[in-house]
Amino acid sequence: RAPLRGQVNPGSSAPEPVTAVFESTGAWLPNGLALVEEQLLDAVDGAGPLTADAVATLKAGGKRMRPMLVLLCAGPEAGPRAIRSAVAVELIHMASLVHDDVLDRAPLRRGRPTVFASSGRDQATALGDRLFSTAFAVLADAGDEAAITELSSTAVDLARGELMQRRGAFDLSLTEDDYLERCRLKTGRLFAAACVLGRSSLDPSQADTLAAFGHRIGLAFQMLDDVLDISGPVERTGKARGTDLLDGTVTLPLIVAIESDPALAEVDLSRLDEAGAADLCDRIAETGALDEVRTRAMELIAQAKAGLESTGLDAEQVRLLELIADGV
């Protein structure tokens, strides 16, 4: 097939272990991901006045870790069902990012203006809605009821997680359990769905174990992303330090830092400006909270990898998924 217009190399923005996955699978994974990219473009093309923003969102980069998980769990014999599932998972992810940017009034994502910033709230909301509906259309066209059921319950959990985040905004009494449940719903759930959707013939215990792997690496991914929000730098994160703090999102580094420095609980997040957010980031870092959160994330990665032996996957798939976990 001819290359897509401006096609993103699925391995180009990924950390070294993920790149190693991309390079060590022979042709089957790059070919599968190229099909995912092509079908993603087909899915968002023809969206009328939303098309330009949809294509720009698709081409804005990203590691494609969720589609990669679908294909790795499906293995070298991954067929049209796995490709469709990978496309649908990434569309759900894209939709959630667009809607998040509306709710957060975010000016940047991955170093580029968000759809909210460039096209306005109404256009961004409509685009997110379109991407969500397109994800289910991709599966419905093939009559894949099992995948629709899995992804619809995942979408509900994403919304529940976002509602938890809205309810907990600016609340410094938020507990670690509250944070972990929010991250399980907002991030871990879609990683888990990606793993499960890659396998159409697992017994329930194997499916649960594979879902647990996805949940754990997704949770670790979010925890480390929250560390990066505090530590930066902007050229790595594509956004200013403390962006989460500015929109009132209480993350684990702040929760852990308050345990060491209770005076941090007196900060009024609703009054922060960019300079104040940067100062608060420095105060959080001084408590050692970032190292503690990193350590907890690495423990989750170790647990995720340890559970792979009982998933029913072959040794090569296990090795590749371990590399993905290391890439987190």
Side-chain angles (χ1 to χ4, degrees):
R1 294 178 181 270
L4 296 182
R5 299 182 300 276
Q7 177 176 332
V8 176
N9 178 347
S12 63
S13 62
E16 286 185 9
V18 177
T19 303
V21 170
F22 191 73
E23 294 173 347
S24 68
T25 54
W28 73 265
L29 183 61
N31 287 346
L33 286 168
L35 283 173
V36 171
E37 291 293 317
E38 184 169 331
Q39 292 187 25
L40 279 168
L41 188 60
D42 288 344
V44 302
D45 206 3
L50 300 174
T51 297
D53 282 330
V55 173
T57 300
L58 173 62
K59 293 183 177 180
K63 301 170 185 65
R64 301 291 192 259
M65 286 185 71
R66 294 157 189 82
M68 198 179 293
L69 282 170
V70 175
L71 298 185
L72 289 174
C73 290
E77 306 305 318
R81 182 184 188 274
I83 299 296
R84 284 194 304 271
S85 295
V87 170
V89 163
E90 188 66 8
L91 286 168
I92 291 289
H93 176 54
M94 290 167 56
S96 70
L97 295 182
V98 173
H99 278 171
D100 278 355
D101 290 340
V102 172
L103 291 167
D104 299 338
R105 305 181 65 82
L108 294 175
R109 182 173 291 277
R110 296 170 181 153
R112 302 185 182 192
T114 61
V115 179
F116 168 80
S118 62
S119 300
R121 179 186 183 90
D122 290 347
Q123 180 95 344
T125 301
L127 175 60
D129 293 347
R130 172 64 185 244
L131 294 171
F132 268 115
S133 61
T134 301
F136 291 103
V138 166
L139 299 176
D141 286 347
D144 195 339
E145 293 183 12
I148 291 170
T149 298
E150 176 66 27
L151 208 55
S152 61
S153 94
T154 299
V156 170
D157 282 344
L158 289 174
R160 290 174 57 208
E162 185 60 45
L163 288 171
M164 282 189 70
Q165 183 166 314
R166 293 300 108 193
R167 286 197 300 269
F170 304 102
D171 182 2
L172 290 179
S173 69
L174 196 77
T175 68
E176 185 173 323
D177 285 343
D178 293 333
Y179 168 86
L180 293 173
E181 175 64 6
R182 184 184 81 206
C183 294
R184 183 189 73 80
L185 294 168
K186 278 202 69 175
T187 308
R189 184 66 175 89
L190 192 54
F191 274 79
C195 293
V196 171
L197 287 170
R199 302 293 290 177
S200 57
S201 58
L202 289 175
D203 65 46
S205 65
Q206 289 174 326
D208 288 345
T209 303
L210 196 56
F213 169 81
H215 269 126
R216 285 171 175 146
I217 67 169
L219 183 54
F221 186 94
Q222 185 61 61
M223 290 165 67
L224 293 168
D225 189 62
D226 292 340
V227 167
L228 284 175
D229 184 68
I230 302 298
S231 63
V234 65
E235 58 268 20
R236 182 175 180 187
T237 63
K239 58 183 182 179
R241 287 176 68 211
T243 294
D244 289 338
L245 301 174
L246 284 167
D247 64 54
T249 302
V250 178
T251 59
L252 188 58
L254 178 54
I255 294 169
V256 171
I258 288 172
E259 294 173 3
S260 299
D261 182 1
L264 289 171
E266 304 303 317
V267 174
D268 186 350
L269 295 181
S270 67
R271 294 181 178 273
L272 282 184
D273 55 17
E274 287 193 12
D279 179 65
L280 181 54
C281 288
D282 290 339
R283 291 178 63 186
I284 292 169
E286 287 168 1
T287 68
L290 302 187
D291 287 338
E292 182 172 341
V293 174
R294 286 191 193 98
T295 297
R296 293 192 196 182
M298 294 307 295
E299 289 170 353
L300 281 168
I301 294 297
Q303 292 168 14
K305 291 164 67 174
L308 282 172
E309 296 298 334
S310 55
T311 57
L313 301 177
D314 64 37
E316 178 63 6
Q317 284 174 292
V318 168
R319 182 185 75 84
L320 295 171
L321 288 172
E322 287 176 341
L323 284 172
I324 288 287
D326 291 337
V328 166

